[in-house]
Every structure is written in structure tokens, then in C-alpha cells.
Amino acid sequence: MFIRPPSAPRLALDLTAEEFETLSDGSGLAYRDLFSPHADLPRALRNWAEAQAMRIRGLNRITAERGGMSQKILFGLGDGYAVESVLIRRRDGHTACISSQVGCAFACRFCASGQAGLKRNLTAGEIVEQVVQLGPKVNRIVFMGIGEPLNNYEHVLRAIRILRDRRGMDFPTTGITISTIGIPKALARLREEHLALNLTISLHATTQDMRDRLIPGARKHPIGEVVSRALSWADRHNRLVTFVYLVLPGLNDSPADATRLARMMAGRKARVNLMRWNPVEGVALQRTPDRALALFRNTLTQAGVPVVVRDTQGRDISAACGQLWLRDLKGAPLQPKS
Ligand SMILES: C[S@@+](CC[C@H](N)C(=O)[O-])C[C@H]1O[C@@H](n2cnc3c(N)ncnc32)[C@H](O)[C@@H]1O
Ligand code: SF4
């Protein structure tokens, strides 16, 4: 898996506090200043980065679409690719929905991000910079943009460590959510990390057969192992794990599905978010009627499983994360790579 061309200048936001201190030794520069809004970046820091052949900001805003409480931004990367991030305004702060890869290898039938395949991983700096550019009011981060975060484990975890470092942004770990289709080996690794973050598993099915149809890239991951690894993470960290279930009429919404899902979750440190599908151009799936969602929810509630019904935020601007990218660019670089 390639990351980005070796010739591309490194981003200063890729640096941990220790690396920055070593590189800037004696210069009196503060690591914290790297995370300042662009206009407030100290001149001395800019000069230092230039001398190090580093870029202090590497993402260019290409488009921004506003709608209701959300804003979707398409960021151009140094090599011509692009990713999107969504800023969602809440009463008590802002949520940054960020991308972890350019495209995605898992090719979920319902998702725009996977339709052009995986182009490359984002670096830690490119992940951190999305948060920085979304502004100082961001107090929650969700890895629900383009890409599968656990398929880019090293850079995602490095980005989280940079974001939460007290010498820099000091972002609260409890405000960070990793959303994943659940790669068993990566879940086992995540279980051992000393990080109090939130984990969301995009489950979407209760049988291997249906999951394979909906998430073709996860065929080699047994659904039972995905669930058991996630529940093991929840036990180890004494936190609830959230299972997201996109209810798709005629595919995964039968009473038997609801009963199986309830059995998997009952009595465990788990809750369920039932989601409606946001239409993706060229994909022939249907949205669930309210009545079907209510029946599904009742089965879970009766089994004592905490459950909420969620619509993806930002449906009015371009539906779920990932769609703007596909619609505008079809996953192609914005300009030819040299
Ligand atoms: C885009 S994914 C990125 C994170 C990770 N790859 C995952 O699948 O959890 C974030 C969430 O969006 C959901 N999603 C993708 N396409 C959607 C759509 N068209 N409508 C509703 N939700 C969608 C996914 O199921 C997942 O729960
Ligand atoms: S839902 Fe997640 S794993 Fe599936 S294609 Fe989209 S980004 Fe990838």
C-alpha cells in the first residue's frame, strides 16, 4: 500500500511533539503553534518549516457546501487526490467527520466511498489537518468520512496520538470515535491500546451471507469474530460499543434478522444505531419505511438492547459522507500527477 509519492514534502502536522522538539531544538518554537488557525501561524514557525523542507499546511479547500447544520468540505491533497470532511454544528460544539483514506477497498454496496476502490492511505498529518482546518470549535471527531480507519491503522493511531497530546491540540480522547467495518486482527490490536476512545462497528447484517453481499471486501472476516472482538474491546475498556445497522428493505430487515441481532447484543456492553440509507447515485437500494424501522427497534428494545434510530446528518447537502467525492471526481486525481 503506498502512502504518497516520496518526493512530496512532509507535513509538519505529521510530527509528534517529541519529533518536533528534536528537530526544532533550541529555536524556542512551540509545538502548540502548529495547530493554530492558518492566519495566526507565527512567521518564525513558517520560516522553520521552510528550512526543514516541510509544509505547514498541505490541504487546499476546493469546495464547501453548506446545508442546515452541516458543511461539507472537499480538500485537495498534495498529489492531486481529494478527500472530504464534514463539519456538523451541535448545541455544545462542532463534530468533525473526517476521512482516513482516499477511497476504500471494502466496496460496500450502499456506500459512495468504496465505489472507485482504494487509491491510498492518508498520512497522520493529512488526518490531523482536516481537524485543524475545521476550526477551533471542534470538540468531537468521528472517523466516518472516506475510508476504513482500521485499514490504515498506523497513521490513524498516530494521528490520534498527535491530536490528544497535551503539548499540542490537547484533544480529549473521549471525544474521538473510530467507525469501522471491524477487521478482527486490528480490533484485537485496538483492544490493547491505552486509549479511552469510542468504537462503532458497521455491522449491517446478522448472517455471513448477507454481510458478504453488502460488504464484499470483508468476506474473509467471520461476522461472529467481528462481533466477539468488538465486545471484547468493550469489556476490556469498560465502555459500550456501538453497532451500526443500516436497515435495507428486503435484504436485512426481516423479523429473523431483528431477533438474531437482539440475541447477539442482549446483556452485553453494546448498543445499536439503526440507520436509514442515504441514496447514492447509480445504486439501486431502497430506504426503509418508518414502520419497518419501528418493528425492528421494538424487537431490540424488548430484548433490553439500547437502540436509537439515526438519520445521517447532512442529508440535505449531499447525503452520507463519501458522496461528494464520488460525484465530483469519480476518485480520479484533480490534476495529472507528475
Ligand atoms: C463512510 S463509513 C466510514 C467508516 C468505516 N469505513 C465504516 O464503514 O464504518 C461511515 C458510516 O457511513 C455509513 N454509510 C456509508 N454509506 C452510507 C449511505 N449511503 N447511507 C447511510 N449510511 C452510509 C457506513 O455504513 C458507516 O457506518
Ligand atoms: S461504508 Fe466504510 S468500509 Fe464500506 S465502502 Fe464505505 S467507507 Fe469503505
Side-chain angles (χ1 to χ4, degrees):
M1 161 59 50
F2 90 99
I3 309 295
R4 60 189 176 130
S7 56
R10 194 173 179 194
L11 289 181
L13 288 175
D14 266 318
L15 299 175
T16 61
E18 289 78 15
E19 289 167 346
F20 178 82
E21 271 153 28
T22 308
L23 281 174
S24 65
D25 190 33
S27 64
L29 296 172
Y31 184 60
R32 192 173 299 272
D33 286 340
L34 276 181
F35 304 88
S36 304
H38 189 67
D40 300 341
L41 287 167
R43 169 54 54 200
L45 191 64
R46 290 172 192 260
N47 291 345
W48 170 82
E50 211 177 301
Q52 299 286 329
M54 276 190 198
R55 293 195 62 179
I56 230 160
R57 293 289 178 265
L59 270 50
N60 305 310
R61 281 176 191 233
I62 298 171
T63 57
E65 276 186 65
R66 244 174 225 286
M69 299 298 281
S70 342
Q71 190 183 11
K72 192 177 291 215
I73 297 157
L74 187 69
F75 285 116
L77 307 172
D79 57 1
Y81 283 122
V83 290
E84 67 175 5
S85 317
V86 183
L87 183 72
I88 302 157
R89 290 179 189 80
R90 308 184 326 274
R91 232 172 311 168
D92 54 349
H94 289 178
T95 300
C97 171
I98 59 168
S99 296
S100 56
Q101 297 183 305
V102 181
C104 184
F106 288 87
C108 298
R109 254 186 80 188
F110 48 80
C111 175
S113 303
Q115 300 200 0
L118 176 62
K119 304 298 177 191
R120 71 166 171 93
N121 280 335
L122 292 188
T123 63
E126 289 167 334
I127 294 169
V128 171
E129 191 176 332
Q130 292 172 67
V131 180
V132 172
Q133 289 223 24
L134 290 178
K137 288 191 184 157
V138 171
N139 57 359
R140 278 195 213 158
I141 297 170
V142 292
F143 281 87
M144 293 187 187
I146 300 167
E148 169 44 56
L150 294 191
N151 197 30
N152 183 15
Y153 194 95
E154 301 294 343
H155 297 100
V156 166
L157 268 283
R158 182 179 171 91
I160 290 172
R161 295 218 155 80
I162 292 171
L163 288 163
R164 69 197 285 270
D165 196 303
R166 285 182 185 198
R167 293 161 286 184
M169 232 178 154
D170 196 15
F171 200 93
T173 319
T174 50
I176 301 177
T177 300
I178 289 187
S179 174
T180 171
I181 51 125
I183 299 167
K185 268 194 192 147
L187 286 176
R189 236 179 124 182
L190 193 65
R191 181 185 183 276
E192 303 312 318
E193 305 278 0
H194 294 283
L195 287 173
L197 39 76
N198 307 294
L199 179 64
T200 291
I201 304 287
S202 300
L203 191 65
H204 307 320
T206 60
T207 63
Q208 190 69 37
D209 182 50
M210 184 49 65
R211 198 159 198 264
D212 290 350
R213 280 173 63 188
L214 295 176
I215 313 178
R219 276 202 186 106
K220 57 178 189 287
H221 307 318
I223 185 170
E225 198 182 344
V226 172
V227 172
S228 66
R229 295 268 184 208
L231 292 172
S232 168
W233 173 91
D235 289 337
R236 162 96 158 79
H237 293 271
N238 197 23
R239 301 176 78 80
L240 284 181
V241 54
T242 302
F243 288 89
V244 172
Y245 195 94
L246 204 55
V247 186
L248 297 164
L251 292 173
N252 64 2
D253 67 340
S254 70
D257 280 306
T259 306
R260 276 192 294 267
L261 188 61
R263 278 203 199 114
M264 284 177 192
M265 306 298 153
R268 305 303 305 260
K269 285 194 172 61
R271 65 177 156 221
V272 174
N273 284 357
L274 296 177
M275 307 280 294
R276 281 193 190 86
W277 179 63
N278 283 311
V280 173
E281 211 181 300
V283 178
L285 290 171
Q286 278 156 21
R287 270 167 76 79
T288 312
D290 287 351
R291 207 174 55 84
L293 268 177
L295 284 173
F296 214 87
R297 187 183 56 203
N298 287 347
T299 305
L300 290 162
T301 306
Q302 277 162 18
V305 178
V307 54
V308 289
V309 175
R310 286 256 156 84
D311 252 320
T312 311
Q313 299 250 23
R315 187 148 60 91
D316 52 341
I317 43 176
S318 187
C321 291
Q323 279 172 253
L324 182 77
W325 179 74
L326 185 80
R327 193 196 60 202
D328 290 355
L329 300 167
K330 309 274 183 233
L334 296 173
Q335 70 254 342
K337 281 183 280 175
S338 51

